[in-house]
């Protein structure tokens, strides 16, 4: 078993491990709602929408996290503003902002003398370069994500399953939607420095999607996603150490592979459980207050 523990005898791999675990838990809180609401495209657009802020901060010598937060916040506000136009679909709004923000970021970065290095670091991150200070930031982000998830849990659950019922129950779906955007922004901004914008999407989507195939309650999905993400971090770092592959990309690839394994296992489970039954008459999909409490 020496091959398993050998990588973690090095200090920078230990920091990478803790950074990956913290990112996995943060992404479990936010990614669960992304998966349940079916807003993966929005999450991808938010991740890439940070490029202008990060690029500008890099060129001016500013703080990359502040630049990422400003840019992601602008992206969230843009999505909310364009969503008020009834003749413009949400996918169209997200797509336009996605391309516009990404183009602006590339234009800004192209003026930097280290264009290729800056852009590669932004897209793919460097989990092995995590510092103690970064771990502190991630811990604060995790606490904030946990607080938002706890306080908004009931409203988020109603918003996911039946926005009309959420309004009837006085849960203010508009405010809940804004809080979910904030939670998603927090997860992406906190994580991009570790695994990059292209790879954070894997940790944001794959572990919750894998857990959702087995868990029926939202807290269990979050717990399962955190465990799968953390396990992917450990496995990814071990594989990266022995095979000489990029650590962040390996972690993300393991997380996606875990989803496909989970999906295959869930399919086999359903085949074994399948029995000929008379199909029930379809009914309108609405959630009562008791059903919302049960799902949460």
């Amino acid at each position: 078993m020496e091959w398993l523990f050998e990588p973690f005898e090095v200090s920078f791999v230990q920091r990478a491990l803790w950074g990956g675990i913290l990112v996995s838990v943060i992404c479990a809180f936010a990614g669960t709602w992304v998966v349940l609401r079916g807003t993966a495209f929005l999450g991808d657009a938010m991740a890439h929408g940070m490029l202008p802020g990060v690029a500008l901060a890099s060129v001016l010598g500013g703080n990359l996290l502040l630049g990422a937060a400003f840019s992601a916040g602008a992206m969230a506000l843009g999505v909310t503003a364009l969503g008020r136009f009834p003749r413009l679909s949400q996918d169209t709004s997200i797509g336009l902002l996605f391309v516009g923000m990404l183009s602006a970021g590339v234009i800004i970065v192209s003026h930097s003398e280290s264009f290729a290095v800056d852009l590669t670091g932004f897209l793919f991150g460097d989990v092995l370069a995590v510092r103690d200070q970064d771990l502190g930031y991630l811990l604060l982000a995790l606490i904030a994500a946990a607080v938002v998830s706890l306080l908004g849990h009931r409203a988020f659950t109603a918003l996911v399953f039946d926005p009309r019922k959420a309004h009837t129950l006085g849960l203010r779906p508009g405010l809940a939607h804004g809080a979910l955007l904030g939670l998603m922004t927090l997860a992406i901004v906190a994580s991009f420095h570790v695994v990059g914008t292209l790879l954070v999407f894997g940790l944001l989507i794959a572990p919750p999607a894998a857990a959702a195939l087995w868990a029926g309650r939202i807290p269990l999905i979050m717990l399962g996603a955190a465990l799968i993400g953390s396990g992917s971090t450990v496995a990814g770092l071990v594989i990266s150490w022995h095979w000489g592959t990029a650590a962040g990309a390996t972690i993300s690839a393991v997380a996606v592979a875990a989803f496909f394994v989970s999906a295959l296992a869930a399919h086999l489970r359903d085949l074994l459980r399948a029995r000929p039954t008379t199909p029930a008459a379809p009914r309108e999909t609405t959630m009562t207050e008791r059903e919302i409490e049960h799902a949460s």
Side-chain angles (χ1 to χ4, degrees):
M1 296 295 288
E2 183 179 352
W3 62 271
L4 179 61
F5 298 103
E6 179 186 352
F8 305 107
E9 295 176 356
V10 182
S11 59
F12 67 84
V13 181
Q14 293 174 6
R15 289 193 295 270
L17 173 64
W18 285 112
I21 291 175
L22 290 172
V23 166
S24 298
V25 180
I26 294 171
C27 288
F29 281 121
T32 296
W33 302 112
V34 172
V35 170
L36 293 179
R37 293 195 69 197
T39 54
F41 181 46
L42 175 58
D44 189 28
M46 292 281 289
H48 289 82
M50 294 187 302
L51 181 55
V54 174
L56 193 59
S58 178
V59 171
L60 298 178
N63 187 290
L64 297 184
L65 285 177
L66 291 179
F70 177 80
S71 190
M75 181 76 179
L77 290 176
V79 170
T80 302
L82 290 179
R84 298 180 182 276
F85 291 89
R87 301 179 68 178
L88 196 63
S89 70
Q90 186 180 39
D91 282 349
T92 301
S93 303
I94 295 172
L96 289 171
L97 289 169
F98 174 34
V99 174
M101 296 287 278
L102 187 60
S103 300
V106 173
I107 291 173
I108 295 172
V109 175
S110 65
H111 287 282
S112 172
E113 296 179 356
S114 56
F115 170 77
V117 176
D118 291 341
L119 189 58
T120 300
F122 171 78
L123 294 176
F124 301 104
D126 190 358
V127 67
L128 297 179
V130 172
R131 303 165 299 176
D132 292 334
Q133 183 180 9
D134 298 324
L135 294 178
Y137 290 146
L138 288 173
L139 183 58
L140 291 176
L142 173 58
I143 293 173
V147 170
V148 172
S149 298
L150 180 62
L151 295 179
H153 185 79
R154 188 164 177 265
F156 295 164
T157 304
L159 182 64
V160 165
F161 291 102
D162 194 339
R164 293 175 300 177
K165 199 67 179 180
H167 182 76
T168 302
L169 296 173
L171 296 177
R172 304 181 67 180
L175 181 60
H177 177 71
L180 278 178
L181 282 179
L183 182 61
M184 188 189 307
T185 300
L186 174 65
I188 293 172
V189 171
S191 307
F192 93 92
H193 182 61
V194 178
V195 291
T197 58
L198 286 179
L199 304 180
V200 68
F201 190 62
L203 288 179
L204 190 69
I205 301 299
L213 296 173
W214 297 89
R217 296 173 63 88
I218 292 173
L220 292 180
I221 295 176
M222 290 182 176
L223 176 60
L227 293 175
I228 293 172
S230 299
S232 299
T233 298
V234 174
L237 288 174
V238 171
I239 293 172
S240 172
W241 177 269
H242 291 289
W243 288 6
T245 57
T250 307
I251 292 172
S252 182
V254 171
V256 174
F259 163 75
F260 284 111
V261 171
S262 177
L264 177 60
H267 178 65
L268 294 176
R269 174 202 62 192
D270 294 340
L271 289 178
L272 292 175
R273 290 180 177 178
R275 296 176 181 177
T277 56
T278 303
R283 65 185 182 90
E284 184 180 358
T285 304
T286 58
M287 290 196 69
T288 64
E289 187 170 0
R290 178 174 295 180
E291 288 173 324
I292 291 173
E293 292 288 352
H294 177 73
S296 62

